[in-house]
Amino acid sequence: MHDSETAADDADASITGQSGHTSATAKAMLPLTIGAIGVVFGDIGTSPLYAFREALGQAASDGLDRGEIIGVMSLALWALIIIVTLKYVVFLMRADNDGEGGVLALLALAQRGVAKGGWIIALGAVGAALFYGDAVITPSLSVLSAVEGLKTLPGGAAVFTEGRILVISLVILAALFAIQSRGTEMVSKLFGPVCIAWFLAIGALGAIHIADGPGILAAFLPWHAVSFVTGHGVLGLFVLGAVFLTVTGAEALTADMGHFGKAPIRLAWLALVFPALALNYLGQGAFAIHTLEEAGRMGQPFANQDWFFQMIPEAVRLPMVLLATAATIIASQAVITGAFSLTQQAMQLGLLPRLAIRQTSAGHAGQIYMPAINWLVLFGVMVLTIGFRNSSAMAAAYGIAVTGTMVITCCLAFMVVRRRWGWGLPLSLAVIVPFLSIDLIFFGANILRVVEGGWVPLTIAAGILAVVWTWVRGRKIVSALEHDGAVPLRDMAAALAARPPKTVPGTAVFLTARPDLTPHALLHNLKHNRVLHRHNLVTTVRTLQKPHCDPDERLTVTRVDDRFAIVELRYGFMEQPDVRADLIRGGAAIPDAAKASFFIGRNSYSHVAEGGMPLWQDVLFITLHRNAADPTDYFNIPPNRVIELGAQYAI
């Protein structure tokens, strides 16, 4: 594993591709940067559609003056500078796990070399759960905010009513989720160019309107932000919560490191995305000052307005609405893909049951489709879209999930810099505490909006956490039951060597989580079939605390005697197991691997009153277990070579 700090500072550092082992060259930098612009920045890139509007709307209840608009703008700019540029681009992108990022990759990195504590796993689980809340809200909010631009067309308010906007949005969202099973390889080639066009367009639009009120450039002076918050009491906190919408999507910078690498993401942010966002927000602020002063409404209460679309000339407003819709679809696609990847990592780390995974690209291992997650997220998206009906109502629900994830990320980063990088406590606190303090302030500001809609992501996260907690707790109880009184494998091998049963030719592979103990499937085979294969491989699949496993370290074989061997297969948490293929690659160490029979324990469970979990958790665990993906599919074993044996346990 390369050193995270050294790699981050090297301009020609290794840029990990989908396989985790592709190095970037100067020639590859351009396509990787274009790809990053399309996938990584779709969410944060569409924030101008609603972020400034919502922040200014919170402050406008008793009217606005020029200084307050500049104060709101200053908050937005410095949120982008401190949270995205300094925290993510400069600092957190150094904390990669063999090139991979994201909250679960950071969890795995924090666990390395540290005495495993449940609280570290709990932090990662909470961060992952909050991401699912984000994954449900992002498509709804993004697409609604873009389609609502139709109302700003000449005569559009009469034609495009709220009901029609809602129907159009639902159709777009349904189509987006329906095409997931076909993969996104072809469509994703358009992501980069479309998003480049989007950023250039919004940057140019903002630059043009800065001339409406050049005084808006004073927003770069940080004391305008500080004075606004300190001078507006509780209202300032509500505005701060809305301002956080400008940085939603920042987590994607680290989550997608494994797909594009650090250098392309940093280049895209500094060279295009940040300048375009800053120009557009400044343009909206200048346009708002000009509009309110022209209408003589400065200092008077006014209804929330769609500043983004209103500052677009009518001649090009329809093309911009269409471009905005395309950009929000791309942003939604990135979040959906992120939900698939996060679920795969959670499954590999043992936080969720096995779910069916389909590969949608022969050339890119990271392009996967998970039917259960796809349809569950779509259901949540549809319910939220119909329930909230417009983007302003939904905006209040957005910030809590993102700020909560950022707080978790900071806590895990502290563990990484202390235990993995070896920083002293004073230096670790000096770096982490300022970022954590800002995240907590934003989190507190968003908590104030729980009643307005912030309860939605919290409810979703609570549901996911209940599933994770139940699955982890249930598996621990089940493991104790299944291995209670189990016979050590070496003792069993010695007993069978002394009194050998009837032997049949061939190889039997017994999949088990505890290779030191005799698998129940082997005992059942001896009890019922009264035979033993010539070669018996007690095989365990181990998930490493890193995204990819070196092929040379994939398989180890430990002989017990001439009949038994312990086989360990290792996979990174971003990899999909392929047990049969990897056993075949073992060569002479794995005799007759191509013709081996696979014995899998398939146990069933029932509830008892004196069990280790309450009834609701027992029911949930049993339901999750029954609906988990077939291990045959998950481990990529041919069904015609599988024999399932098991027993029933009361939990």
Side-chain angles (χ1 to χ4, degrees):
M1 183 188 74
H2 64 269
D3 184 90
S4 299
E5 296 173 90
T6 303
D9 295 329
D10 185 353
D12 297 319
S14 170
I15 297 177
T16 312
Q18 294 282 10
S19 65
H21 302 286
T22 307
S23 353
T25 62
K27 188 175 181 180
M29 180 67 75
L30 181 60
L32 284 171
T33 303
I34 293 173
I37 291 170
V39 174
V40 178
F41 298 105
D43 191 359
I44 197 170
T46 53
S47 296
L49 289 170
Y50 49 80
F52 180 72
R53 176 192 73 196
E54 295 304 318
L56 211 60
Q58 288 288 330
S61 57
D62 59 349
L64 288 171
D65 57 37
R66 176 187 287 262
E68 288 176 317
I69 295 176
I70 293 174
V72 172
M73 182 56 58
S74 185
L75 284 169
L77 290 177
W78 281 98
L80 291 171
I81 292 170
I82 294 175
I83 294 179
V84 184
T85 307
L86 295 181
K87 178 183 172 184
Y88 281 91
V89 174
V90 175
F91 173 61
L92 281 179
M93 289 187 73
R94 296 168 58 115
D96 68 300
N97 189 352
D98 285 356
E100 295 289 345
V103 65
L104 289 186
L106 203 58
L107 163 66
L109 189 62
Q111 284 185 299
R112 289 199 200 174
V114 180
K116 292 186 178 180
W119 66 272
I120 298 179
I121 298 174
L123 277 178
V126 172
L130 287 169
F131 176 85
Y132 285 107
D134 184 17
V136 172
I137 297 172
T138 294
S140 302
L141 176 60
S142 299
V143 172
L144 267 175
S145 61
V147 176
E148 284 170 351
L150 293 170
K151 295 189 295 185
T152 67
L153 298 175
V159 177
F160 296 104
T161 61
E162 184 182 78
R164 290 175 180 173
I165 293 291
L166 186 63
V167 171
I168 294 171
S169 300
L170 290 173
V171 169
I172 292 173
L173 290 167
L176 174 62
F177 282 87
I179 66 170
Q180 295 301 312
S181 61
R182 301 180 180 272
T184 58
E185 186 171 7
M186 294 300 295
V187 180
S188 64
K189 293 179 180 178
L190 298 174
F191 284 8
V194 169
C195 282
I196 288 174
W198 168 254
F199 285 118
L200 291 175
I202 65 173
L205 183 65
I208 292 171
H209 281 281
I210 289 176
D212 292 342
I216 197 68
L217 295 174
F220 280 109
L221 302 174
W223 56 76
H224 288 290
V226 175
S227 63
F228 182 90
V229 174
T230 57
H232 285 76
V234 176
L235 177 62
L237 291 176
F238 276 98
V239 172
L240 199 61
V243 163
F244 193 81
L245 295 172
T246 59
V247 299
T248 54
E251 283 285 328
L253 274 71
T254 56
D256 288 313
M257 274 197 296
H259 298 287
F260 303 101
K262 302 174 187 178
I265 293 175
R266 285 171 168 159
L267 177 62
W269 172 255
L270 296 174
L272 176 63
V273 179
F274 175 61
L277 292 175
L279 285 172
N280 189 265
Y281 284 124
L282 289 167
Q284 288 192 53
F287 178 73
I289 291 174
H290 175 75
T291 301
L292 294 175
E293 288 181 341
E294 283 280 304
R297 293 158 55 193
M298 191 68 79
Q300 300 177 10
F302 63 91
N304 204 359
Q305 299 189 41
D306 200 333
W307 302 106
F308 179 86
F309 285 110
Q310 285 185 5
M311 72 175 180
I312 301 172
E314 290 186 359
V316 294
R317 193 170 292 172
L318 179 59
M320 277 299 293
V321 171
L322 298 177
L323 181 59
T325 303
T328 55
I329 290 172
I330 292 171
S332 303
Q333 175 62 58
V335 172
I336 295 167
T337 304
F340 294 160
S341 297
L342 187 75
T343 304
Q344 182 186 32
Q345 294 178 46
M347 288 159 46
Q348 289 287 67
L349 293 173
L351 300 178
L352 290 173
R354 291 186 299 268
L355 298 173
I357 298 177
R358 299 179 193 171
Q359 209 70 37
T360 60
S361 171
H364 299 280
Q367 293 193 12
I368 59 175
Y369 169 65
M370 303 186 71
I373 299 300
N374 187 66
W375 300 121
L376 282 173
V377 173
L378 174 60
F379 174 76
V381 166
M382 291 297 190
V383 169
L384 285 188
T385 306
I386 295 171
F388 283 97
R389 300 186 67 84
N390 63 74
S391 61
S392 289
M394 192 175 295
Y398 202 17
I400 290 179
V402 183
T403 52
T405 303
M406 288 184 175
V407 170
I408 299 298
T409 299
C410 257
C411 295
L412 292 174
F414 176 77
M415 293 299 302
V416 172
V417 299
R418 280 285 289 140
R419 303 300 177 91
R420 292 292 302 163
W421 295 0
W423 288 12
L425 182 60
L427 178 59
S428 300
L429 292 175
V431 172
I432 297 296
V433 168
F435 290 132
L436 182 59
S437 300
I438 293 172
D439 288 343
L440 288 173
I441 290 171
F442 274 113
F443 183 71
N446 278 279
I447 282 291
L448 295 175
R449 309 185 75 185
V450 167
V451 178
E452 298 178 57
W455 58 270
V456 172
L458 294 179
T459 303
I460 295 172
I464 298 295
L465 279 176
V467 170
V468 171
W469 178 40
T470 299
W471 182 252
V472 172
R473 188 181 183 191
R475 286 303 304 160
K476 186 176 180 180
I477 293 172
V478 163
S479 178
L481 288 172
E482 292 176 348
H483 297 126
D484 183 34
V487 181
L489 179 62
R490 293 187 181 276
D491 293 349
M492 176 60 70
L496 292 174
R499 300 181 60 183
K502 181 179 179 180
T503 302
V504 296
T507 297
V509 177
F510 296 91
L511 290 176
T512 179
R514 290 285 304 275
D516 58 317
L517 302 177
T518 305
H520 283 277
L522 191 153
L523 294 174
H524 286 307
N525 189 44
L526 284 171
K527 178 180 178 180
H528 297 291
N529 298 325
R530 302 179 186 279
V531 296
L532 187 70
H533 283 74
R534 176 66 186 85
H535 302 286
N536 298 273
L537 307 178
V538 179
T539 304
T540 186
V541 175
R542 179 184 167 207
T543 301
L544 304 178
Q545 299 293 334
K546 59 182 182 178
H548 305 281
C549 178
D550 191 308
D552 295 335
E553 301 175 359
R554 177 78 70 201
L555 180 146
T556 57
V557 180
T558 305
R559 299 300 311 183
V560 177
D561 60 16
D562 62 339
R563 292 174 183 248
F564 287 91
I566 295 174
V567 178
E568 183 174 284
L569 287 169
R570 304 178 188 89
Y571 297 93
F573 60 78
M574 292 290 289
E575 296 178 311
Q576 183 67 21
D578 193 345
V579 171
R580 183 170 184 264
D582 286 319
L583 289 177
I584 292 173
R585 293 188 190 102
I590 310 292
D592 297 326
K595 299 179 180 179
S597 297
F598 291 82
F599 289 80
I600 297 176
R602 177 63 77 97
N603 299 323
S604 59
Y605 308 102
S606 60
H607 169 73
V608 290
E610 65 273 12
M613 295 191 296
L615 175 61
W616 72 269
Q617 277 197 310
D618 274 348
V619 172
L620 178 56
F621 177 79
I622 292 169
T623 302
L624 291 172
H625 180 267
R626 287 176 179 172
N627 290 279
D630 192 323
T632 300
D633 295 331
Y634 184 78
F635 292 116
N636 205 14
I637 303 170
N640 61 350
R641 306 214 64 85
V642 173
I643 301 168
E644 293 186 349
L645 299 169
Q648 182 168 357
Y649 293 92
I651 60 174

